[in-house]
Amino acid sequence: MSRKTSIFLPVIKTLCITGLVIIFCFVFLNFPLPRQTGLTARYDLVLTFIPLILVSYGIFRLPGQWGSWFAPLFMALLLCLPLSGLWASGNSEQYVLGGSIQLSDSANYYIDALRFLEGGRFSSFSSDRPLMVSFFAGLLSVTGRDFKAALILSLILPILSMYISAREVQRSAGALPAAIFTSVLFMFYRRYTGLVMSEMLGISLGLLAFTFLWRYFTQPRKMWLVTGLGLLTLALIARLGAFFILPLLLLWLVWECRKHGWPVYKMLFVTIAVMALAFGINRLVYDWVAEPGVRSNPQFTFHLYALVTGGGYWGDLLNHHSELNALQGNDYLRRALQISWDYFVQHPTDLLLGIYRDLAAYFSDPIRGEFSYIDGASDTVNLVFRLALAVLSLLGITSLFKQDQSKRVFIWMCIIGLLFSIPFVPPTATFKLRLLASTIWLQALLPALGLAWIAGFLPHPIKNLETKLPPAPQLSDTTIKFLPLVVVPLLLLIPAFLRMTAQATILPPSSCPAGQETVYVRLEPASYIVLVDHEDPRQGWMPYIRLNYFMLKMHNIPHATIISFFEGITEPVAMIYGLELKSSQQVLVLAPPEQLVQEPGLVQACGHYQEKPLAYTETFFLANQLDQTGLR
């Protein structure tokens, strides 16, 4: 086989597999399953984690072409199931209301993606995550702003990156460790399906980075090292996380150069240049999408102030220093850093207290700490599973002494870098280790290595059973390189193209009765829900949700003012969430279900904004009339 053919065929196969995964996801998520099936995948532990390990092992052991095609489809099924459960039930969570209406961080990202498509710029909140939000804006653009289709497409990158990284673990450690690796990743990511969150891009790029770095140990080429560190840098930019891993891995790079006799300074220069390129991409995209002068990375200043003040609440900086609300850009950054420094000078020991509290939370907090995303209905069962994974992780660390020296130093540097980073990306700032999404592969890898180490003590007849099975397929170098070669340029090209082509919608004149306000919002799949009576035959799949179920589950959201508003709803109602095109602000339109138009497109709503004193007053619009404008 010629070199050209050896490259061409894996690319064609990868494209076919990707296309098949996309088709599968769209077909699967447009045919409702019984809601309990998806809810089990999204929320249960015992009925999900153990069967997943067993089934994953079987899938990874499939030989030849069977394994090449069925394994990625299995990964697609894994991430589709929890999203199916969310849409079938209309459940409410921290970041979603009624199964599809975005809340909090996810709502900000979604609205800014829509605003960008209207020729606007991101708010200061989304400007911290320019890569992810502009990437999602690209998905919305490709799907004609069909929110449901964009959410389905947002599954593809995590599916493929999980598959590629799991195959790489299987290549070096075996099918059962790969099954553990996959299961831990799934338990972390399952509740981010159906959301517009930076975890999507962070975990995907992080897994691709891990794949490149892990392949280096079987193919010690400079390319795997340099590209892997560049991808890891991009992942940590897309989803702020354990940045201290980067300088420690640079030290490991120097050690590797000396081991192989490579020119140290040349390798260091090339690697730092690639890592700087990742920062350059982010900065360029930021300049295209952000309003001039907005605050840059306020999250870091929040975490820093919480750290130096003894590990307090992440929002204490603005609570204690309200004058910062009036500052933007570098003025805000300088003043926020000065406040943290002044406090540290006056109370230096509080920094040690903050470090202790953050590390203690990582190792012990049941809803914020290590493996806190391994959860179900029973706290006792949760603890048993987490302890089992912690023991496997310790065994994985122990196994490092029998690993290749390069691999051992690499993993130790990652562990130390993670621990150094925790005070700056504290577990207490959010739930279930969101801030460590870009390096969550490390938490999945350690128990996988621990299980591989245990397998080494099995009797030879048992160990030889797997060697007698047909060999599982392995991914070619071309296949592994293909996904980053597509995704990374898109991170730059999508915002550039949208910046040049996006235009504001020309709105038709209002036809609302005198004395009523007018709002314009797009009605798209997954952008609206309809609360219906229990007897309504349509309930059971988005957008139709039982009113009594909605009222029960809305208490899951952490917004008391929103809950108090919805508690007053006693009759069926339609809710449309999106960007109000006149004001370029978010809006939630509530209207009688019979007024809901049937075709997607731009809708004119007539009525009034909510007058009751409410933290989200400007968001709620009570409509008594909905009209199609004829615009898509």
Side-chain angles (χ1 to χ4, degrees):
M1 184 182 293
S2 68
R3 176 178 173 80
K4 184 178 294 186
T5 304
S6 65
I7 295 175
F8 182 72
L9 289 180
V11 170
I12 295 297
K13 184 177 180 180
T14 303
L15 288 173
C16 291
I17 290 175
T18 302
L20 188 61
V21 166
I22 293 173
I23 293 171
F24 175 87
C25 290
F26 272 93
V27 171
F28 186 88
L29 288 169
N30 277 287
F31 285 92
L33 287 179
R35 72 167 61 91
Q36 196 55 47
T37 303
L39 289 175
T40 298
R42 193 172 186 91
Y43 301 115
D44 202 274
L45 175 55
V46 177
L47 295 178
T48 299
F49 194 61
I50 295 177
L52 177 55
I53 293 173
L54 298 176
V55 175
S56 296
Y57 172 77
I59 292 292
F60 284 127
R61 280 303 317 156
L62 288 174
Q65 295 299 322
W66 289 100
S68 296
W69 293 90
F70 273 95
L73 288 178
F74 172 69
M75 290 291 187
L77 175 65
L78 282 187
L79 293 194
C80 285
L81 276 173
L83 180 53
S84 172
L86 183 66
W87 285 351
S89 66
N91 202 10
S92 296
E93 301 174 352
Q94 182 179 4
Y95 299 108
V96 67
L97 178 71
S100 63
I101 292 179
Q102 307 297 295
L103 293 174
S104 191
D105 297 13
S106 191
N108 285 313
Y109 295 145
Y110 173 50
I111 292 300
D112 276 323
L114 291 174
R115 186 178 289 122
F116 193 52
L117 294 178
E118 290 291 326
R121 299 285 189 108
F122 292 176
S123 65
S124 60
F125 185 89
S126 296
S127 295
D128 268 357
R129 307 284 182 267
L131 297 179
M132 192 286 298
V133 183
S134 59
F135 185 79
F136 193 79
L139 298 183
L140 286 171
S141 178
V142 166
T143 59
R145 311 195 193 195
D146 184 324
F147 186 41
K148 180 181 179 181
L151 287 174
I152 295 174
L153 283 179
S154 71
L155 296 176
I156 306 306
L157 187 55
I159 288 169
L160 296 178
S161 59
M162 284 176 61
Y163 167 66
I164 290 172
S165 58
R167 277 294 190 204
E168 198 59 26
V169 171
Q170 179 186 9
R171 186 170 184 258
S172 61
L176 192 55
I180 288 283
F181 181 82
T182 299
S183 301
V184 173
L185 291 177
F186 169 77
M187 296 298 288
F188 174 82
Y189 193 70
R190 60 180 178 168
R191 294 195 185 184
Y192 295 107
T193 58
L195 305 179
V196 186
M197 300 290 277
S198 57
E199 282 69 22
M200 178 269 290
L201 199 55
I203 193 173
S204 301
L205 292 172
L207 288 172
L208 292 176
F210 163 73
T211 303
F212 272 67
L213 293 169
W214 204 245
R215 175 148 289 208
Y216 165 77
F217 298 116
T218 53
Q219 296 180 12
R221 302 176 191 164
K222 302 173 188 176
M223 181 275 299
W224 298 119
L225 271 182
V226 175
T227 309
L229 289 175
L231 286 171
L232 185 57
T233 305
L234 201 58
L236 289 166
I237 292 171
R239 165 69 268 184
L240 181 68
F243 264 103
F244 278 104
I245 286 180
L246 294 177
L248 288 175
L249 287 183
L250 283 177
L251 292 177
W252 169 69
L253 174 71
V254 171
W255 186 83
E256 285 294 304
C257 289
R258 295 187 181 279
K259 174 184 174 182
H260 292 285
W262 297 336
V264 174
Y265 292 110
K266 181 179 179 181
M267 274 290 292
L268 205 56
F269 174 79
V270 171
T271 305
I272 291 175
V274 171
M275 295 166 74
L277 179 62
F279 282 97
I281 291 173
N282 185 71
R283 183 64 204 191
L284 195 56
V285 174
Y286 175 88
D287 289 339
W288 288 336
V289 303
E291 289 285 359
V294 299
R295 296 175 187 170
S296 178
N297 198 12
Q299 294 292 326
F300 170 74
T301 60
F302 296 161
H303 298 328
L304 181 62
Y305 182 78
L307 176 62
V308 300
T309 55
Y313 174 59
W314 68 269
D316 282 346
L317 177 61
L318 295 183
N319 292 338
H320 297 168
H321 299 275
S322 57
E323 72 277 8
L324 290 172
N325 288 310
L327 300 179
Q328 295 290 340
N330 291 332
D331 292 336
Y332 164 84
L333 184 61
R334 282 192 293 266
R335 179 58 185 149
L337 293 177
Q338 185 64 50
I339 288 171
S340 296
W341 173 254
D342 291 343
Y343 187 95
F344 170 71
V345 171
Q346 296 173 19
H347 311 280
T349 56
D350 283 0
L351 174 62
L352 297 178
L353 178 61
I355 293 173
Y356 167 76
R357 285 179 173 174
D358 289 333
L359 288 173
Y362 177 77
F363 288 108
S364 64
D365 194 310
I367 60 174
R368 294 179 173 88
E370 185 182 26
F371 297 123
S372 55
Y373 47 88
I374 307 293
D375 65 334
S378 169
D379 291 341
T380 302
V381 175
N382 295 345
L383 180 61
V384 170
F385 275 78
R386 291 168 187 170
L387 287 176
L389 286 172
V391 169
L392 284 177
S393 297
L394 289 174
L395 293 176
I397 293 173
T398 302
S399 74
L400 296 180
F401 295 102
K402 294 190 175 183
Q403 298 278 359
D404 172 77
Q405 191 176 31
S406 295
K407 188 180 293 186
R408 180 168 68 246
V409 175
F410 166 76
I411 296 176
W412 271 117
M413 289 298 179
C414 290
I415 294 172
I416 295 170
L418 172 66
L419 295 177
F420 280 173
S421 301
I422 284 173
F424 298 93
V425 282
T428 53
T430 185
F431 299 99
K432 304 186 189 304
L433 290 187
R434 266 189 65 200
L435 300 185
L436 297 181
S438 301
T439 51
I440 205 66
W441 50 263
L442 182 59
Q443 282 202 4
L445 177 66
L446 292 178
L449 294 178
L451 189 62
W453 187 61
I454 292 175
F457 293 98
L458 294 174
H460 285 290
I462 297 178
K463 287 193 293 185
N464 291 338
L465 286 176
E466 182 157 332
T467 61
K468 296 178 181 179
L469 296 172
Q474 295 186 4
L475 300 180
S476 67
D477 293 354
T478 303
T479 300
I480 291 177
K481 295 173 188 175
F482 179 76
L483 195 55
L485 284 173
V486 172
V487 173
V488 174
L490 285 178
L491 294 178
L492 195 60
L493 294 175
I494 287 174
F497 176 78
L498 293 179
R499 188 68 194 149
M500 291 186 293
T501 59
Q503 293 181 343
T505 301
I506 300 176
L507 301 176
S510 172
S511 60
C512 290
Q516 294 194 10
E517 297 177 272
T518 305
V519 302
Y520 293 94
V521 64
R522 280 192 167 87
L523 183 74
E524 301 291 349
S527 70
Y528 69 98
I529 60 175
V530 184
L531 305 185
V532 298
D533 291 325
H534 181 75
E535 297 79 13
D536 194 308
R538 297 173 298 177
Q539 59 87 17
W541 189 252
M542 183 181 66
Y544 300 102
I545 303 167
R546 294 201 317 267
L547 175 59
N548 56 356
Y549 185 86
F550 175 86
M551 300 301 289
L552 176 67
K553 295 299 182 179
M554 73 175 180
H555 292 276
N556 293 337
I557 67 175
H559 302 285
T561 51
I562 295 181
I563 291 174
S564 66
F565 173 80
F566 284 120
E567 283 177 339
I569 296 178
T570 58
E571 298 291 333
V573 64
M575 303 181 193
I576 307 170
Y577 181 73
L579 180 72
E580 202 289 299
L581 298 184
K582 282 200 309 179
S583 63
S584 193
Q585 300 297 321
Q586 62 176 325
V587 67
L588 180 65
V589 177
L590 291 89
E594 60 271 15
Q595 286 286 328
L596 192 66
V597 295
Q598 298 301 313
E599 295 298 324
L602 185 64
V603 172
Q604 173 191 266
C606 304
H608 299 281
Y609 280 99
Q610 168 69 11
E611 296 179 358
K612 177 183 174 182
L614 192 66
Y616 294 83
T617 299
E618 73 286 354
T619 298
F620 291 86
F621 187 84
L622 307 182
N624 51 45
Q625 179 181 333
L626 297 176
D627 297 305
Q628 283 186 312
T629 63
L631 299 177
R632 185 63 177 88

